[in-house]
Amino acid sequence: MSDSTHPHTPPVGAPALAIRGLVKRFGDKTAVNGINLDVPAGSFFGLVGPNGAGKTTSLSMATGLLRPDAGDAWVHGTSVWGQPLEAKKLMGILPDGVRLFDRLTGEQLVTYAGLLRGMDADTVHERTKDLLAALDLAKDAGTLVVDYSAGMTKKIALASALIHAPKVLVLDEPFESVDPVSAANIRDILTDYVGSGGTVIVSSHVMDLVQRMCDHVAVIAGGNVLAAGTVDEVRGSESLEDRFVQLVGGRNTSTGLAWLRTS
Amino acid sequence: MVAHLLRLKLDLLRNSLKRSTMAVVGLVIGGLYGLGMLVLVLVGLVLLGSADLEIASTVIVLAGSAVILGWLVIPVLAAGVDMTLDPARFTTFAIPMRTLLTGLALSGLIGIPGAITALAALGTVGTWWRHPLAAVAAVVCAALAVMTCIVASRAMTAASSNLAASRRFKDVSGLVLLIPLMLLGPIIAGTSDVLRNFAEVLPALARTLSWTPLGAAWSVPADLAGGHYGAAGLKFLIAVGTLAGLLWLWKIFLARALVTPAHSGGARKTAGNIGFFRWFPATPTGAVAARSLTYWFRDPRYAAGLVISPLLPLVFVLVGVQSGSMFMLLFAGAIATYLMCWFISTDISYDNTAFALHVATGVSGAADRMGRALACAVIAVPLGIVYTVVGAALNDAWAYLPGTLGLTLALVGASLGLASVFSARFTYNVPAPGESPLKSKPGNSFSSVLVQMAGVTGVAVMVLPVAVLSIVGVLAQQAHLSWIALAVALVLGTLFLVLGIRWGGRIYDKRAPELLLAVSKDS
């Protein structure tokens, strides 16, 4: 695929992730409606939106998992769909709603992810040990992933995404069903990672978390980007949650379930 | 409340039918088959009434005992297959125990097995129509026996529900069920011979069984018809006692199952053992091979293939032996090898969305194809060689070993090569990870059947030269043809494998995201 087939060209200055004109239709339904997005290098970027907004579809297309109907994404200037191998080397991906090779033990799964990336055995062994310890999975390293709890499964998937020390991390709903202690540990790891020059993109629908953790945010609904920028720019004087509801709409203003009142 | 549980069972049945027309067709075919069997059984039972009392009693007690035993054992083995109205799902509802017991027991009658058992049991009334007292007793005893069947199976399910919730148990039970299914034909052929020889033992066996919980209810009418009122009374007490005892056990097990949430088994294990990953080189190809090989042993869906592939040729061989010909034995290795190697044509479908890891890491098509083929070959090649050598030894046909060995090796190359292409191009609707390997998936379209047929034909055409040389060599007793077959096989097999992996790899590189999308839709 040459660049001439793309209607858009990579932006100058090469942000960590640049999305240009991504479109995806499933049948009659347009899931992602030609979005543009720039994720600055070294930012902690939150992608928020209601259920079915197109977050997962957009991230899948931006990471090379789902072929877009139009548009492309660039990771540090490398086209995801033009030079997929080079682009994938720069990215660590935690997709949401996909299975893992869960008949492997946790240790085997992380090792597998490292070896698939073509890393050498010693580095893989070393990093697997470090990751399992950092994510508090060392005691369950030899347990099959199928026997893990939901939170542990998220953590082992995160470990698999981190093993090759990517420059950009794309995490789809990384905190879902993760316990508060592990979530805090993961946040520390991610903050360190951003501090050392890495870029993190997380999707979430927990506004509070995004407001506290991220420095940049984009609001997606109905397959369009409604707002994007630094968190302060997007929220203005309001809380992110209020601003989000304002942008997306759909709040119920009726009196609610009167019979549910206990007094 | 009891009516609600019955309605629930009916709704579940109806909704499962609504999901696809194939399910309706399945139910209709199953129902017609059951109905046909039922008519045969009922006619048989009535005819049995005119037979000798001893024979009638023996047949009914033996068959009846087998039915109760079946109800007792099958739910446990099939735990991974069907758990409609699983007691664990009622934990959050406050249903009185007595109501739950009655509802679950009666709902057991809904569905093909329950209905057929009930009707067939009532059919025993027809056997005793010449003896009014026995006929009346048969109605009561049939009801008793059917309730025993259902309560026994429910008690067993409740007792094992803790066990059945553990993944390990589900994994193993599905496999255990496979083996008798596979060998059903030869077993029936074998046991019918044995039964003919031991015809005189059966009445004694039936007499013994009639005093046990399995046979007591079935033999009461026969004893009444024969005038043994004392024995009939005692056996009736045994039957009632059995039902009461089972009910009591069921209540205890159910009470325990309701307060014990389902758990997933498996002890915690620390790091240090990466299994097959140690054996293979630390490259993407080696990693894919190690992962695939792990799955052959650890995923029941693959393990089922591992069990079926060596067993199926044995079935052919057993049939051959019974007909007095050992010729098939020479090619058992080739058949086993083909079955196992072609299995990987559905590899990516079996990965399901876990395949996303391969797409995300950008592993090359050649490495992916090669790794999967390698893992399969590690098992299939030794298996094929052992089978072929043993086949030659049993036939004392050492001279033709090169030919049969050649066919086996050519099949490895051809089926792995073509499967590597097919699995990069087509996906199928297969049981998802964690589902029973026996679970049939409706919704495989006609076109995917055509694709599979094309694959089988393709492999056959590819190995045709070797097969002709090898088989003609044996039939014409020309040993030198066998050596030519081996030489051709080595060349062709290698060629097919290399070309298949290259071509498959190229398709994979182009279509990896499309493959991921396809398996996401199938699941």
Side-chain angles (χ1 to χ4, degrees):
Chain A
M1 217 184 282
S2 74
D3 272 351
S4 63
T5 60
H6 297 301
H8 307 275
T9 47
V12 281
L17 180 70
I19 292 174
R20 290 291 176 272
L22 278 183
V23 176
K24 188 70 196 178
R25 288 183 207 92
F26 295 109
D28 298 337
K29 191 177 171 290
T30 303
V32 175
N33 189 18
I35 62 168
N36 299 305
L37 204 60
D38 278 329
V39 177
S43 65
F44 204 133
F45 198 99
L47 196 59
V48 297
N51 296 329
K55 289 177 303 211
T56 296
T57 311
S58 304
L59 290 182
S60 297
M61 289 191 289
T63 52
L65 295 183
L66 178 69
R67 199 184 298 280
D69 293 337
D72 199 353
W74 286 264
V75 184
H76 286 291
T78 309
S79 162
V80 171
W81 290 98
Q83 299 149 279
L85 287 184
E86 288 74 12
K88 283 171 182 174
K89 276 188 192 135
L90 301 172
M91 283 187 289
I93 310 168
L94 173 72
D96 184 41
V98 308
R99 295 168 190 272
L100 299 173
F101 285 105
D102 58 13
R103 300 278 159 163
L104 299 178
T105 67
E107 187 185 18
Q108 282 179 324
L109 182 65
V110 181
T111 306
Y112 187 45
L115 292 176
L116 282 184
R117 299 257 184 198
M119 297 162 62
D120 70 90
D122 291 336
T123 317
V124 169
H125 177 71
E126 195 104 332
R127 289 188 185 174
T128 303
K129 220 172 67 187
D130 291 347
L131 281 168
L132 290 172
L135 291 165
D136 196 25
L137 287 169
K139 283 202 183 105
D140 296 288
T143 309
L144 296 195
V145 174
V146 66
D147 291 332
Y148 276 12
S149 69
M152 289 159 76
T153 310
K154 269 282 188 227
K155 288 197 282 177
I156 204 73
L158 181 63
S160 313
L162 289 171
I163 181 119
H164 61 296
K167 286 181 115 172
V168 179
L169 258 182
V170 182
L171 312 174
D172 199 355
E173 299 285 357
F175 296 105
E176 213 171 45
S177 56
V178 174
D179 67 87
V181 177
S182 302
N185 286 342
I186 293 175
R187 267 205 313 275
D188 286 349
I189 295 174
L190 296 181
T191 312
D192 271 2
Y193 173 79
V194 170
S196 67
T199 309
V200 175
I201 301 158
V202 295
S203 84
S204 179
H205 41 241
V206 185
M207 295 306 137
D208 218 30
L209 196 84
V210 173
Q211 185 173 342
R212 266 185 299 139
M213 202 170 61
C214 302
D215 43 46
H216 286 67
V217 69
V219 180
I220 293 195
N224 293 303
V225 176
L226 300 185
T230 65
V231 173
D232 290 335
E233 278 169 18
V234 171
R235 75 186 173 110
S237 57
E238 296 163 283
S239 79
L240 187 59
E241 181 155 1
D242 289 341
R243 179 73 184 129
F244 175 80
V245 171
Q246 204 181 10
L247 279 168
V248 172
R251 277 281 289 144
N252 241 332
T253 48
S254 67
T255 47
L257 308 171
W259 50 265
L260 198 55
R261 287 171 199 152
T262 48
S263 58
Chain B
M1 181 47 90
V2 172
H4 280 120
L5 285 170
L6 293 181
R7 271 282 301 281
L8 175 61
K9 172 85 183 187
L10 275 175
D11 284 349
L12 284 172
L13 194 66
R14 198 170 49 226
N15 289 347
S16 73
L17 293 181
K18 265 188 204 154
R19 283 185 60 188
S20 80
T21 43
M22 282 311 289
V24 181
V25 174
L27 185 78
V28 169
I29 292 176
L32 284 178
Y33 179 76
L35 213 61
M37 293 298 284
L38 185 64
V39 169
L40 279 181
V41 168
L42 290 180
V43 170
L45 281 172
V46 173
L47 288 180
L48 206 57
S50 51
D52 188 45
L53 186 63
E54 169 94 7
I55 294 178
S57 159
T58 303
V59 170
I60 289 182
V61 170
L62 285 181
S65 304
V67 167
I68 294 186
L69 197 65
W71 275 87
L72 200 58
V73 174
I74 289 172
V76 182
L77 290 180
V81 180
D82 179 32
M83 285 293 265
T84 35
L85 295 201
D86 175 4
R89 299 202 181 145
F90 294 105
T91 24
T92 52
F93 301 100
I95 305 174
M97 182 56 83
R98 187 178 296 270
T99 317
L100 190 59
L101 287 179
T102 321
L104 286 178
L106 289 180
S107 71
L109 288 173
I110 297 176
I112 295 179
I116 286 180
T117 306
L119 290 175
L122 280 176
T124 58
V125 178
T127 312
W128 307 113
W129 64 275
R130 288 161 209 260
H131 311 272
L133 181 61
V136 173
V139 178
V140 179
C141 289
L144 203 58
V146 171
M147 283 326 289
T148 306
C149 284
I150 288 169
V151 173
S153 90
R154 291 286 170 187
M156 206 65 173
T157 315
S160 63
S161 83
N162 247 324
L163 199 60
S166 95
R167 178 193 48 77
R168 212 170 284 269
F169 179 81
K170 269 186 202 160
D171 286 2
V172 173
S173 64
L175 285 182
V176 170
L177 196 62
L178 257 180
I179 298 172
L181 277 181
M182 292 285 311
L183 297 177
L184 205 57
I187 287 175
I188 290 174
T191 45
S192 63
D193 280 355
V194 174
L195 284 186
R196 230 169 281 138
N197 299 337
F198 291 88
E200 60 272 20
V201 181
L202 291 181
L205 179 64
R207 269 196 295 279
T208 315
L209 278 176
S210 74
W211 288 99
T212 67
L214 289 179
W218 303 105
S219 74
V220 171
D223 279 348
L224 285 178
H228 310 294
Y229 299 113
L234 278 177
K235 284 174 184 172
F236 186 71
L237 284 181
I238 294 178
V240 173
T242 304
L243 183 57
L246 283 171
L247 267 172
W248 181 70
L249 279 177
W250 182 25
K251 195 178 151 189
I252 290 179
F253 287 138
L254 191 60
R256 191 180 304 161
L258 285 179
V259 293
T260 318
H263 73 103
S264 49
R268 297 174 67 156
K269 284 190 203 129
T270 49
N273 185 10
I274 51 169
F276 291 128
F277 286 89
R278 205 185 303 282
W279 295 14
F280 288 91
T283 61
T285 305
V288 174
R291 200 277 303 165
S292 299
L293 196 58
T294 309
Y295 264 57
W296 275 100
F297 291 102
R298 231 184 246 161
D299 185 327
R301 299 167 306 155
Y302 280 87
L306 202 58
V307 170
I308 290 174
S309 305
L311 275 183
L312 199 60
L314 281 190
V315 173
F316 289 136
V317 168
L318 279 175
V319 172
V321 169
Q322 274 163 1
S323 65
S325 153
M326 298 286 271
F327 177 71
M328 278 301 288
L329 199 51
L330 283 177
F331 296 98
I335 300 171
T337 312
Y338 163 71
L339 288 175
M340 186 161 285
C341 292
W342 186 247
F343 197 84
I344 67 165
S345 68
T346 50
D347 236 15
I348 291 182
S349 310
Y350 275 118
D351 286 355
N352 206 292
T353 48
F355 180 63
L357 183 65
H358 284 220
V359 184
T361 52
V363 62
S364 78
D368 176 282
R369 308 286 83 194
M370 183 74 133
R372 293 172 194 269
L374 192 62
C376 185
V378 164
I379 309 171
V381 170
L383 175 81
I385 291 177
V386 168
Y387 262 52
T388 312
V389 170
V390 169
L394 288 179
N395 274 306
D396 201 17
W398 292 108
Y400 309 112
L401 179 61
T404 48
L405 208 54
L407 182 58
T408 304
L409 293 179
L411 273 168
V412 171
S415 26
L416 285 182
L418 197 63
S420 295
V421 176
F422 269 54
S423 99
R425 185 64 194 79
F426 306 103
T427 56
Y428 310 89
N429 219 335
V430 297
E435 282 181 353
S436 164
L438 289 174
K439 183 161 187 168
S440 62
K441 281 277 198 169
N444 256 338
S445 60
F446 184 59
S447 62
S448 62
V449 175
L450 279 185
V451 167
Q452 279 294 315
M453 277 168 58
V456 173
T457 318
V459 172
V461 170
M462 285 153 83
V463 298
L464 195 63
V466 182
V468 167
L469 283 170
S470 173
I471 293 172
V472 168
V474 176
L475 292 180
Q477 306 196 336
Q478 299 284 324
H480 70 276
L481 283 180
S482 285
W483 284 103
I484 299 176
L486 179 60
V488 175
L490 288 177
V491 173
L492 280 184
T494 315
L495 191 71
F496 290 146
L497 187 60
V498 171
L499 287 181
I501 286 172
R502 270 208 199 150
W503 188 18
R506 213 171 302 148
I507 300 176
Y508 172 103
D509 286 334
K510 266 189 219 140
R511 297 191 72 245
E514 278 69 29
L515 282 170
L516 179 59
L517 185 65
V519 291
S520 314
K521 275 182 186 157
D522 285 347
S523 64

